[in-house]
Amino acid sequence: LNFNSSFIGNTRPSGGGSSLIFGTAGDNLSPGERMRLNEDGFLGIGTQNPLSQVHMTGELTMQNNNPVIQMQNAAGENKSFIQTIADDMLIGTNTVNPAGNFIVRTNGANRMTVTPQGYVGIGTANPFSQVHMTGELTMQSSNPVIQMKDAAGDDKTFIQTINDDMLIGTNAVNTTGNFIVRTNGGNRFAVTKDGYVGIGTTNPEAA
């Protein structure tokens, strides 16, 4: 069927099934194929050889208040999604999927896992804390620091590099904390808030 240079046609290559073809014409009125539905029910947009139910070359634009790509299992249950809400991008598992992990994969291997509990595993699929990493950690900054706070957000202890020196201990705003070295569940070495050093005791009475 030809509609003023746009067309719907059928093709059946030798030894193959038939395909339904949709075409439109540009400014020069030369018609070209835009979309094809092949014998397997695969729809190709911008390609003549679709390899899945929908196979597209080019770009996809979605416009809505909160556009979403929703992925379901064969039973029609929501499992994972990609969505834009206001200026934010959300990607992950649905609320009705309480057992699913969010996994980042490269080169066929899982690199990062976020569990339903919100634990982040880097190099491990079974994190046991908010951040659980196997491998190495590199921090690069003028004075890189690992800062530890309490639940109220108050600075308590830190590890830091300043110039060529390494600092480890309690923060200046933590005026009551001691620095303690522990092995095998026992305290072995302590530096009190007053600078007293204890070996085998956590309550030294002199510096």
Side-chain angles (χ1 to χ4, degrees):
L1 298 177
N2 192 305
F3 305 98
N4 194 20
S5 296
S6 296
F7 67 90
I8 301 174
N10 178 275
T11 181
R12 186 182 181 91
S14 176
S18 64
S19 296
L20 185 62
I21 300 173
F22 301 83
T24 61
D27 292 338
N28 60 3
L29 297 182
S30 177
E33 180 179 331
R34 309 304 181 191
M35 186 169 66
R36 174 181 294 225
L37 182 65
N38 71 10
E39 68 274 17
D40 297 315
F42 292 178
L43 178 66
I45 302 173
T47 176
Q48 296 182 0
N49 299 292
L51 303 176
S52 59
Q53 275 74 14
V54 178
H55 182 171
M56 183 183 71
T57 63
E59 300 177 355
L60 170 67
T61 299
M62 299 175 61
Q63 183 173 353
N64 199 351
N65 290 332
N66 297 306
V68 61
I69 298 174
Q70 179 63 60
M71 283 155 276
Q72 301 181 333
N73 63 10
E77 299 167 331
N78 290 343
K79 290 297 181 177
S80 58
F81 70 98
I82 304 172
Q83 187 173 24
T84 296
I85 296 180
D87 294 326
D88 300 328
M89 179 178 181
L90 285 72
I91 181 170
T93 59
N94 288 93
T95 305
V96 294
N97 178 15
N101 296 322
F102 174 77
I103 300 172
V104 176
R105 177 178 294 182
T106 64
N107 197 28
N110 297 343
R111 308 301 185 183
M112 185 176 75
T113 299
V114 183
T115 70
Q117 293 77 30
Y119 291 178
V120 178
I122 302 174
T124 176
N126 299 292
F128 298 121
S129 59
Q130 274 75 16
V131 179
H132 181 173
M133 183 181 72
T134 62
E136 300 177 353
L137 171 66
T138 299
M139 299 177 60
Q140 183 174 353
S141 182
S142 298
N143 298 304
V145 61
I146 298 175
Q147 178 63 60
M148 283 156 275
K149 300 173 179 279
D150 62 13
D154 298 323
D155 291 344
K156 291 296 181 179
T157 60
F158 70 98
I159 304 171
Q160 188 173 24
T161 296
I162 296 181
N163 298 322
D164 295 327
D165 300 327
M166 179 179 180
L167 285 71
I168 182 171
T170 60
N171 288 94
V173 295
N174 176 10
T175 58
T176 60
N178 298 324
F179 173 77
I180 300 171
V181 174
R182 176 177 294 182
T183 64
N184 196 28
N187 296 339
R188 311 303 182 186
F189 178 93
V191 182
T192 71
K193 61 183 178 58
D194 300 311
Y196 293 176
V197 178
I199 301 176
T201 177
T202 56
N203 297 293
E205 297 181 357

